Amino acid sequence: MAALSLSTKGKTLEDLALLVRSWRALPVLRLTVAEVRNDLSAAVERIQRQMAESHLVVRSSASAEDNLATSNAGHFRSVLDVPRDDGDAIARALHAVIESYGECSESEELFVQPMLRQVSMSGVVFTADVDTLAPYYAINYDESGRTDSVTGGDTTCRSYIHFKGAPLPPEDPALRAVTLACSEIEALCGNTALDIEFAISAGELYILQVRPITRHGKDDLSALDLKDSLNKMHRKIEKLSAPHPNLLGEKTIFGVMPDWNPAEIIGLRPRQLALSLYKELVTDSVWAYQRDNYGYRNLRSHPLLVSFLGMPYIDVRVDFNSFIPKELDEQIARKLADYYLNKLDLCPELHDKVEFEIVHSCYYLNLPEKLQELESHGFNRNEIRRIEFALLDLTNGVLDASQGLYKADLAKIEELKKHHAAIHTSDLTPIEKIYWLVEYCKRYGTLPFAGVARAAFIAVQFLGSFVEAGVMTKEERGSFLASLNTVSKQLQTALCRLSAGTLTREEFFREFGHLRPGTYDILSPSYRENFDQYFSRMSESGCPHGAYSFTEEQKGQISQLLRENGIRADADGLLSFMVQAIEGREYAKLTFTRTLNDILGLIGELGTSYGVSRDDLSYLDVRTVLSLYSALDHRDLKEILLADIAVNRKLYGYTRAIKLPAVIRKASDVYGFHVEAETPNYITLGRVIAESARESEINGAEISGKVVFIRSADPGYDFLFSRKIAGLVTQFGGANSHMAIRCAELGIPAVIGAGEKNFTDWSRAGTLEIDCAGRQVRLIA
């Protein structure tokens, strides 16, 4: 049987009605523009004669609407719920649809169908990924009874992703019926990339529209055999989830945001150089050494980050183990690990705020009250007290004015500068320089940075507990953060001086020129390399300033609370720690990223000397380069580089094609999952109404006074704050992430970690309101 030829919307539905299988099709009455314009009364009478249902829908069916080159989806009108017995209403609906065509041929069509009633589910299915044409069903659906909520962009709709080659169909019977119907229609049309509208009424599935997904300009990855790869991933996750003799917890979960936030720092689909650098410098071993040093369980030799076909995920069981004090009784520790994992399993939307909502990783003033929730989860009072005391001892060790490890870590950062300079000016070969810079960056850069960042987290927790205890208001907390001499403030001051002519561009570059929006990405130009692009549209604004001092009364309250809680520090000591830790975290980050920038630069120089482009180098695994320091084989160096690049470039096709949830709770999630709504982090108490600006617009357009949308933003995006933006929304990021801290310091209303669905829906708005105090985003236009 020949494949059904896709035509106009009305003709396609009419043809499909003759071939229905597991679905049903509503009657279709097609009319031409000429028929309506030449004899409107006859057209209305024909509709009333041939359509018996009480209410109708008049739909567009323009030739430019649904074809292989363009879809114009949503461009033309459809009029719902038109009373069949009201001839004037039918006439108005016909004219409304035709008017939406603009100037058009008399042969253009529109059509009429019965209005479907008692709808239990309606939605739209893409039978291939709209960006890559990979073999997935993406089902956006609504269960409110409406048939236009999905196409209208209603934010209450749900999204479900299902791999076509999955060994089992969706668990939900309705979604199972939808995927079966879509598979049948694909076969009938001989096309695997379709846009299908559907509705379920009285238990019957109706197909309301079928049109091709436009293939023009797409990077077609539909030929990749994902089935075997996903089957292997399924088995890998099952193995990693099994009990492990050196880990507490009966299972594991994987997430893109818990701890060290790979989705925010290197993105969901990083190329191999960025991924391998991040693993080498942070998540393979450095992270665990820091936790062990600071009094947590020893997780050395356990990688924190797992790569699934190139997509980075945090192994949450490993992560949660690393937040348990090493002195805590083993049985209580095991019970605590299972509690943490079960809570995330039940509340996956908390994956980007596990240290605030799930894990208890340090002591702060209101911790005893927070720990009481454990009573309702099988912990007795003695166990809770032992958890409290273990966290208290650990925190006191970090806070110690003379022995606090964060002080030693801050000193190590200064050591990095010396080693970096010595290597940079040496006569070592590029490969030797890369090797030693990576080693020194781990030992004197990312390791101490991880320690100072842990101290800064504890400082922020204490600051939040001051608000909870009534020692200060939320506004005062914001003022305190804004008063700190962080890198962000220093950058803004330097830009002011640069604008005033009291600082040269070269002086600016010496301090900040190494920063780049993609810290680990060789394709992301640094501030030095692309200054005019990043800063040509700097807005006129005053240099940052601000000071905050705790009153003597507040200090007295803090000292009293510290004594009552067993904290071995007075108010002045704790406040000094908080300032040093929060400022030190940003300083340590600025310093180690300077070494990282040199590593990327040397890799670039290595590629240039062998005729390998930066784009090719972005697929290189840094471990291949590091291995060359102490190994020699028969191949030329260029041959070694190109062979590794070729393997990783091929892998990246799979990285781009696969679709996985933000939180993988069970192995079968690799085949099908709901895109869960996230719980965003609202930063500051501010409120702003402004136009939006997308990520693609930030370099070429004026973004001053606008709300900027960026999927993930690491320190290199600080140039945005020189452009006087009104607000910021990111898809990824936690309450303690870099951009959350920056926005809090600068008083910029922001939604950090909005999640995929919120980010996509909100970024479509031309104008929106962010109300941080009310924790709401409203789409205005």
Side-chain angles (χ1 to χ4, degrees), residues 11 34-35 64 97 121 205 235 239 268 280 337 341 402 404 406 418 454 474 478 501 581 590 609 633 644 720 722 745:
K11 179 67 166 60
E35 287 178 275
V97 173
M121 178 188 287
L205 174 64
R235 292 194 295 272
K239 291 176 182 177
L268 274 183
E280 181 70 25
L341 287 163
S402 58
Y406 73 97
K418 298 175 186 177
R454 172 88 334 233
K474 289 182 179 180
L590 180 76
S609 65
D633 68 23
D644 188 59
L720 290 174
S722 71
E745 291 170 358

PDB file of all heavy atoms in Angstrom, residues 11 34-35 64 97 121 205 235 239 268 280 337 341 402 404 406 418 454 474 478 501 581 590 609 633 644 720 722 745:
ATOM      1  N   LYS A  11      -7.669  18.090   4.100  1.00  0.00           N
ATOM      2  CA  LYS A  11      -7.583  16.952   3.182  1.00  0.00           C
ATOM      3  C   LYS A  11      -6.895  15.766   3.865  1.00  0.00           C
ATOM      4  O   LYS A  11      -7.320  14.609   3.699  1.00  0.00           O
ATOM      5  CB  LYS A  11      -6.800  17.366   1.936  1.00  0.00           C
ATOM      6  CG  LYS A  11      -6.630  16.251   0.900  1.00  0.00           C
ATOM      7  CD  LYS A  11      -7.968  15.862   0.266  1.00  0.00           C
ATOM      8  CE  LYS A  11      -7.802  15.030  -0.988  1.00  0.00           C
ATOM      9  NZ  LYS A  11      -7.103  13.763  -0.782  1.00  0.00           N
ATOM     10  N   ALA A  34     -13.348  30.698  -2.087  1.00  0.00           N
ATOM     11  CA  ALA A  34     -14.283  31.154  -3.122  1.00  0.00           C
ATOM     12  C   ALA A  34     -15.719  30.807  -2.752  1.00  0.00           C
ATOM     13  O   ALA A  34     -16.636  31.638  -2.913  1.00  0.00           O
ATOM     14  CB  ALA A  34     -13.915  30.533  -4.462  1.00  0.00           C
ATOM     15  N   GLU A  35     -15.939  29.579  -2.251  1.00  0.00           N
ATOM     16  CA  GLU A  35     -17.306  29.170  -1.884  1.00  0.00           C
ATOM     17  C   GLU A  35     -17.879  30.089  -0.807  1.00  0.00           C
ATOM     18  O   GLU A  35     -19.057  30.460  -0.854  1.00  0.00           O
ATOM     19  CB  GLU A  35     -17.300  27.730  -1.383  1.00  0.00           C
ATOM     20  CG  GLU A  35     -17.095  26.679  -2.459  1.00  0.00           C
ATOM     21  CD  GLU A  35     -17.063  25.283  -1.870  1.00  0.00           C
ATOM     22  OE1 GLU A  35     -15.977  24.848  -1.422  1.00  0.00           O
ATOM     23  OE2 GLU A  35     -18.127  24.630  -1.855  1.00  0.00           O
ATOM     24  N   ALA A  64      -0.130  26.967   2.889  1.00  0.00           N
ATOM     25  CA  ALA A  64       1.169  27.324   3.476  1.00  0.00           C
ATOM     26  C   ALA A  64       1.291  26.868   4.922  1.00  0.00           C
ATOM     27  O   ALA A  64       2.304  27.109   5.566  1.00  0.00           O
ATOM     28  CB  ALA A  64       1.370  28.844   3.402  1.00  0.00           C
ATOM     29  N   VAL A  97     -11.595  33.088  10.085  1.00  0.00           N
ATOM     30  CA  VAL A  97     -10.528  32.194   9.628  1.00  0.00           C
ATOM     31  C   VAL A  97      -9.936  32.710   8.324  1.00  0.00           C
ATOM     32  O   VAL A  97      -8.702  32.769   8.156  1.00  0.00           O
ATOM     33  CB  VAL A  97     -11.055  30.760   9.467  1.00  0.00           C
ATOM     34  CG1 VAL A  97      -9.991  29.871   8.819  1.00  0.00           C
ATOM     35  CG2 VAL A  97     -11.465  30.194  10.814  1.00  0.00           C
ATOM     36  N   MET A 121      -8.691  14.132  27.949  1.00  0.00           N
ATOM     37  CA  MET A 121      -7.301  14.472  27.699  1.00  0.00           C
ATOM     38  C   MET A 121      -7.175  14.993  26.283  1.00  0.00           C
ATOM     39  O   MET A 121      -7.838  14.502  25.368  1.00  0.00           O
ATOM     40  CB  MET A 121      -6.384  13.241  27.869  1.00  0.00           C
ATOM     41  CG  MET A 121      -4.910  13.526  27.566  1.00  0.00           C
ATOM     42  SD  MET A 121      -3.844  12.038  27.523  1.00  0.00           S
ATOM     43  CE  MET A 121      -3.750  11.648  29.261  1.00  0.00           C
ATOM     44  N   LEU A 205     -10.064   7.651  21.376  1.00  0.00           N
ATOM     45  CA  LEU A 205      -8.991   8.547  20.953  1.00  0.00           C
ATOM     46  C   LEU A 205      -9.326   9.113  19.581  1.00  0.00           C
ATOM     47  O   LEU A 205      -9.550   8.361  18.624  1.00  0.00           O
ATOM     48  CB  LEU A 205      -7.656   7.791  20.893  1.00  0.00           C
ATOM     49  CG  LEU A 205      -6.467   8.561  20.326  1.00  0.00           C
ATOM     50  CD1 LEU A 205      -6.112   9.763  21.201  1.00  0.00           C
ATOM     51  CD2 LEU A 205      -5.248   7.642  20.181  1.00  0.00           C
ATOM     52  N   ARG A 235      21.099  -1.060  31.652  1.00  0.00           N
ATOM     53  CA  ARG A 235      21.838  -2.051  32.438  1.00  0.00           C
ATOM     54  C   ARG A 235      22.871  -1.363  33.340  1.00  0.00           C
ATOM     55  O   ARG A 235      23.078  -1.783  34.491  1.00  0.00           O
ATOM     56  CB  ARG A 235      22.523  -3.052  31.509  1.00  0.00           C
ATOM     57  CG  ARG A 235      21.547  -3.952  30.754  1.00  0.00           C
ATOM     58  CD  ARG A 235      22.254  -5.141  30.125  1.00  0.00           C
ATOM     59  NE  ARG A 235      23.207  -4.741  29.084  1.00  0.00           N
ATOM     60  CZ  ARG A 235      22.886  -4.575  27.807  1.00  0.00           C
ATOM     61  NH1 ARG A 235      21.635  -4.761  27.407  1.00  0.00           N
ATOM     62  NH2 ARG A 235      23.806  -4.227  26.930  1.00  0.00           N
ATOM     63  N   LYS A 239      23.141  -1.577  37.495  1.00  0.00           N
ATOM     64  CA  LYS A 239      24.353  -1.997  38.214  1.00  0.00           C
ATOM     65  C   LYS A 239      24.789  -0.944  39.226  1.00  0.00           C
ATOM     66  O   LYS A 239      25.141  -1.269  40.371  1.00  0.00           O
ATOM     67  CB  LYS A 239      25.477  -2.267  37.212  1.00  0.00           C
ATOM     68  CG  LYS A 239      25.251  -3.499  36.351  1.00  0.00           C
ATOM     69  CD  LYS A 239      26.355  -3.655  35.313  1.00  0.00           C
ATOM     70  CE  LYS A 239      26.105  -4.858  34.414  1.00  0.00           C
ATOM     71  NZ  LYS A 239      27.141  -4.982  33.350  1.00  0.00           N
ATOM     72  N   LEU A 268      24.105  20.575  29.937  1.00  0.00           N
ATOM     73  CA  LEU A 268      23.548  19.225  29.858  1.00  0.00           C
ATOM     74  C   LEU A 268      24.255  18.371  28.822  1.00  0.00           C
ATOM     75  O   LEU A 268      24.319  17.150  28.945  1.00  0.00           O
ATOM     76  CB  LEU A 268      22.060  19.290  29.500  1.00  0.00           C
ATOM     77  CG  LEU A 268      21.062  19.470  30.629  1.00  0.00           C
ATOM     78  CD1 LEU A 268      19.652  19.444  30.076  1.00  0.00           C
ATOM     79  CD2 LEU A 268      21.228  18.400  31.686  1.00  0.00           C
ATOM     80  N   GLU A 280      38.265  15.787  35.682  1.00  0.00           N
ATOM     81  CA  GLU A 280      39.652  15.727  36.139  1.00  0.00           C
ATOM     82  C   GLU A 280      39.925  16.727  37.257  1.00  0.00           C
ATOM     83  O   GLU A 280      40.590  16.407  38.252  1.00  0.00           O
ATOM     84  CB  GLU A 280      40.595  15.994  34.958  1.00  0.00           C
ATOM     85  CG  GLU A 280      42.071  15.926  35.293  1.00  0.00           C
ATOM     86  CD  GLU A 280      42.556  14.525  35.605  1.00  0.00           C
ATOM     87  OE1 GLU A 280      41.935  13.556  35.130  1.00  0.00           O
ATOM     88  OE2 GLU A 280      43.571  14.402  36.335  1.00  0.00           O
ATOM     89  N   ALA A 337      21.190   8.003  55.296  1.00  0.00           N
ATOM     90  CA  ALA A 337      21.390   7.971  53.849  1.00  0.00           C
ATOM     91  C   ALA A 337      20.136   7.500  53.134  1.00  0.00           C
ATOM     92  O   ALA A 337      19.725   8.067  52.109  1.00  0.00           O
ATOM     93  CB  ALA A 337      22.580   7.073  53.505  1.00  0.00           C
ATOM     94  N   LEU A 341      17.763   9.617  50.424  1.00  0.00           N
ATOM     95  CA  LEU A 341      17.470   9.099  49.085  1.00  0.00           C
ATOM     96  C   LEU A 341      15.972   8.934  48.865  1.00  0.00           C
ATOM     97  O   LEU A 341      15.449   9.261  47.792  1.00  0.00           O
ATOM     98  CB  LEU A 341      18.188   7.762  48.883  1.00  0.00           C
ATOM     99  CG  LEU A 341      19.707   7.861  48.697  1.00  0.00           C
ATOM    100  CD1 LEU A 341      20.367   6.507  48.912  1.00  0.00           C
ATOM    101  CD2 LEU A 341      20.042   8.407  47.316  1.00  0.00           C
ATOM    102  N   SER A 402      41.626  29.458  64.778  1.00  0.00           N
ATOM    103  CA  SER A 402      43.058  29.238  64.544  1.00  0.00           C
ATOM    104  C   SER A 402      43.330  28.030  63.659  1.00  0.00           C
ATOM    105  O   SER A 402      44.287  28.026  62.888  1.00  0.00           O
ATOM    106  CB  SER A 402      43.778  29.055  65.888  1.00  0.00           C
ATOM    107  OG  SER A 402      43.219  27.960  66.603  1.00  0.00           O
ATOM    108  N   GLY A 404      40.846  26.421  61.653  1.00  0.00           N
ATOM    109  CA  GLY A 404      39.847  26.220  60.598  1.00  0.00           C
ATOM    110  C   GLY A 404      40.506  25.947  59.255  1.00  0.00           C
ATOM    111  O   GLY A 404      41.382  26.688  58.807  1.00  0.00           O
ATOM    112  N   TYR A 406      39.520  26.262  56.321  1.00  0.00           N
ATOM    113  CA  TYR A 406      39.304  27.229  55.258  1.00  0.00           C
ATOM    114  C   TYR A 406      40.438  28.243  55.195  1.00  0.00           C
ATOM    115  O   TYR A 406      40.771  28.768  54.116  1.00  0.00           O
ATOM    116  CB  TYR A 406      37.956  27.931  55.427  1.00  0.00           C
ATOM    117  CG  TYR A 406      37.899  28.937  56.547  1.00  0.00           C
ATOM    118  CD1 TYR A 406      38.081  30.295  56.287  1.00  0.00           C
ATOM    119  CD2 TYR A 406      37.662  28.539  57.856  1.00  0.00           C
ATOM    120  CE1 TYR A 406      38.027  31.225  57.317  1.00  0.00           C
ATOM    121  CE2 TYR A 406      37.614  29.452  58.886  1.00  0.00           C
ATOM    122  CZ  TYR A 406      37.793  30.798  58.613  1.00  0.00           C
ATOM    123  OH  TYR A 406      37.751  31.714  59.625  1.00  0.00           O
ATOM    124  N   LYS A 418      51.931  31.105  42.508  1.00  0.00           N
ATOM    125  CA  LYS A 418      53.379  30.931  42.347  1.00  0.00           C
ATOM    126  C   LYS A 418      53.679  29.791  41.371  1.00  0.00           C
ATOM    127  O   LYS A 418      54.507  29.923  40.465  1.00  0.00           O
ATOM    128  CB  LYS A 418      54.018  30.636  43.705  1.00  0.00           C
ATOM    129  CG  LYS A 418      53.872  31.754  44.732  1.00  0.00           C
ATOM    130  CD  LYS A 418      54.424  31.321  46.089  1.00  0.00           C
ATOM    131  CE  LYS A 418      54.159  32.367  47.160  1.00  0.00           C
ATOM    132  NZ  LYS A 418      54.618  31.922  48.504  1.00  0.00           N
ATOM    133  N   ARG A 454      32.727  25.188  50.771  1.00  0.00           N
ATOM    134  CA  ARG A 454      31.998  24.505  51.841  1.00  0.00           C
ATOM    135  C   ARG A 454      31.840  25.437  53.036  1.00  0.00           C
ATOM    136  O   ARG A 454      30.767  25.537  53.641  1.00  0.00           O
ATOM    137  CB  ARG A 454      32.782  23.236  52.252  1.00  0.00           C
ATOM    138  CG  ARG A 454      32.251  22.537  53.460  1.00  0.00           C
ATOM    139  CD  ARG A 454      31.184  21.521  53.189  1.00  0.00           C
ATOM    140  NE  ARG A 454      30.378  21.664  52.025  1.00  0.00           N
ATOM    141  CZ  ARG A 454      29.044  21.681  52.028  1.00  0.00           C
ATOM    142  NH1 ARG A 454      28.382  21.629  53.160  1.00  0.00           N
ATOM    143  NH2 ARG A 454      28.374  21.748  50.913  1.00  0.00           N
ATOM    144  N   LYS A 474      15.094  39.948  56.230  1.00  0.00           N
ATOM    145  CA  LYS A 474      15.551  39.498  54.912  1.00  0.00           C
ATOM    146  C   LYS A 474      16.218  40.643  54.156  1.00  0.00           C
ATOM    147  O   LYS A 474      17.197  40.441  53.438  1.00  0.00           O
ATOM    148  CB  LYS A 474      14.372  38.956  54.102  1.00  0.00           C
ATOM    149  CG  LYS A 474      13.833  37.625  54.615  1.00  0.00           C
ATOM    150  CD  LYS A 474      12.700  37.114  53.736  1.00  0.00           C
ATOM    151  CE  LYS A 474      12.194  35.764  54.239  1.00  0.00           C
ATOM    152  NZ  LYS A 474      11.076  35.246  53.399  1.00  0.00           N
ATOM    153  N   GLY A 478      20.104  40.872  52.695  1.00  0.00           N
ATOM    154  CA  GLY A 478      20.491  41.329  51.362  1.00  0.00           C
ATOM    155  C   GLY A 478      21.515  42.447  51.416  1.00  0.00           C
ATOM    156  O   GLY A 478      22.458  42.484  50.615  1.00  0.00           O
ATOM    157  N   GLY A 501      38.508  56.062  32.613  1.00  0.00           N
ATOM    158  CA  GLY A 501      39.865  56.286  32.153  1.00  0.00           C
ATOM    159  C   GLY A 501      40.921  56.179  33.228  1.00  0.00           C
ATOM    160  O   GLY A 501      42.091  56.510  32.988  1.00  0.00           O
ATOM    161  N   ALA A 581      34.829  33.694  54.337  1.00  0.00           N
ATOM    162  CA  ALA A 581      34.437  32.519  53.565  1.00  0.00           C
ATOM    163  C   ALA A 581      33.710  32.912  52.283  1.00  0.00           C
ATOM    164  O   ALA A 581      34.019  32.395  51.199  1.00  0.00           O
ATOM    165  CB  ALA A 581      33.556  31.603  54.417  1.00  0.00           C
ATOM    166  N   LEU A 590      38.065  32.870  41.123  1.00  0.00           N
ATOM    167  CA  LEU A 590      38.741  33.757  40.178  1.00  0.00           C
ATOM    168  C   LEU A 590      40.170  33.275  39.925  1.00  0.00           C
ATOM    169  O   LEU A 590      40.655  33.311  38.789  1.00  0.00           O
ATOM    170  CB  LEU A 590      38.759  35.186  40.731  1.00  0.00           C
ATOM    171  CG  LEU A 590      39.441  36.239  39.850  1.00  0.00           C
ATOM    172  CD1 LEU A 590      38.548  36.613  38.681  1.00  0.00           C
ATOM    173  CD2 LEU A 590      39.791  37.489  40.661  1.00  0.00           C
ATOM    174  N   SER A 609      49.539  24.197  16.366  1.00  0.00           N
ATOM    175  CA  SER A 609      50.840  23.724  15.865  1.00  0.00           C
ATOM    176  C   SER A 609      50.701  22.461  15.019  1.00  0.00           C
ATOM    177  O   SER A 609      51.594  22.154  14.222  1.00  0.00           O
ATOM    178  CB  SER A 609      51.787  23.472  17.039  1.00  0.00           C
ATOM    179  OG  SER A 609      51.310  22.415  17.859  1.00  0.00           O
ATOM    180  N   ASP A 633      53.845   6.163  22.235  1.00  0.00           N
ATOM    181  CA  ASP A 633      53.577   5.020  21.372  1.00  0.00           C
ATOM    182  C   ASP A 633      54.046   5.341  19.950  1.00  0.00           C
ATOM    183  O   ASP A 633      54.670   6.378  19.715  1.00  0.00           O
ATOM    184  CB  ASP A 633      52.106   4.587  21.441  1.00  0.00           C
ATOM    185  CG  ASP A 633      51.138   5.607  20.833  1.00  0.00           C
ATOM    186  OD1 ASP A 633      51.562   6.417  19.993  1.00  0.00           O
ATOM    187  OD2 ASP A 633      49.956   5.575  21.192  1.00  0.00           O
ATOM    188  N   ASP A 644      41.397  10.409  18.851  1.00  0.00           N
ATOM    189  CA  ASP A 644      40.556  10.639  20.020  1.00  0.00           C
ATOM    190  C   ASP A 644      39.398  11.568  19.684  1.00  0.00           C
ATOM    191  O   ASP A 644      38.257  11.343  20.107  1.00  0.00           O
ATOM    192  CB  ASP A 644      41.401  11.234  21.151  1.00  0.00           C
ATOM    193  CG  ASP A 644      40.634  11.325  22.460  1.00  0.00           C
ATOM    194  OD1 ASP A 644      40.178  10.278  22.953  1.00  0.00           O
ATOM    195  OD2 ASP A 644      40.479  12.442  22.976  1.00  0.00           O
ATOM    196  N   LEU A 720      27.116  40.375  32.110  1.00  0.00           N
ATOM    197  CA  LEU A 720      25.710  40.790  32.002  1.00  0.00           C
ATOM    198  C   LEU A 720      25.384  41.916  32.973  1.00  0.00           C
ATOM    199  O   LEU A 720      24.576  42.807  32.672  1.00  0.00           O
ATOM    200  CB  LEU A 720      24.781  39.607  32.282  1.00  0.00           C
ATOM    201  CG  LEU A 720      24.728  38.488  31.241  1.00  0.00           C
ATOM    202  CD1 LEU A 720      23.877  37.347  31.756  1.00  0.00           C
ATOM    203  CD2 LEU A 720      24.185  39.020  29.930  1.00  0.00           C
ATOM    204  N   SER A 722      27.143  44.336  33.890  1.00  0.00           N
ATOM    205  CA  SER A 722      27.600  45.650  33.440  1.00  0.00           C
ATOM    206  C   SER A 722      26.608  46.266  32.466  1.00  0.00           C
ATOM    207  O   SER A 722      26.712  47.441  32.129  1.00  0.00           O
ATOM    208  CB  SER A 722      28.967  45.531  32.753  1.00  0.00           C
ATOM    209  OG  SER A 722      28.846  44.893  31.488  1.00  0.00           O
ATOM    210  N   GLU A 745      23.762  39.744  45.715  1.00  0.00           N
ATOM    211  CA  GLU A 745      24.686  40.834  46.024  1.00  0.00           C
ATOM    212  C   GLU A 745      24.257  42.138  45.379  1.00  0.00           C
ATOM    213  O   GLU A 745      24.346  43.218  45.980  1.00  0.00           O
ATOM    214  CB  GLU A 745      26.094  40.485  45.513  1.00  0.00           C
ATOM    215  CG  GLU A 745      26.786  39.370  46.253  1.00  0.00           C
ATOM    216  CD  GLU A 745      28.053  38.945  45.539  1.00  0.00           C
ATOM    217  OE1 GLU A 745      28.357  39.500  44.457  1.00  0.00           O
ATOM    218  OE2 GLU A 745      28.747  38.054  46.052  1.00  0.00           O
TER     219      GLU A 745
END
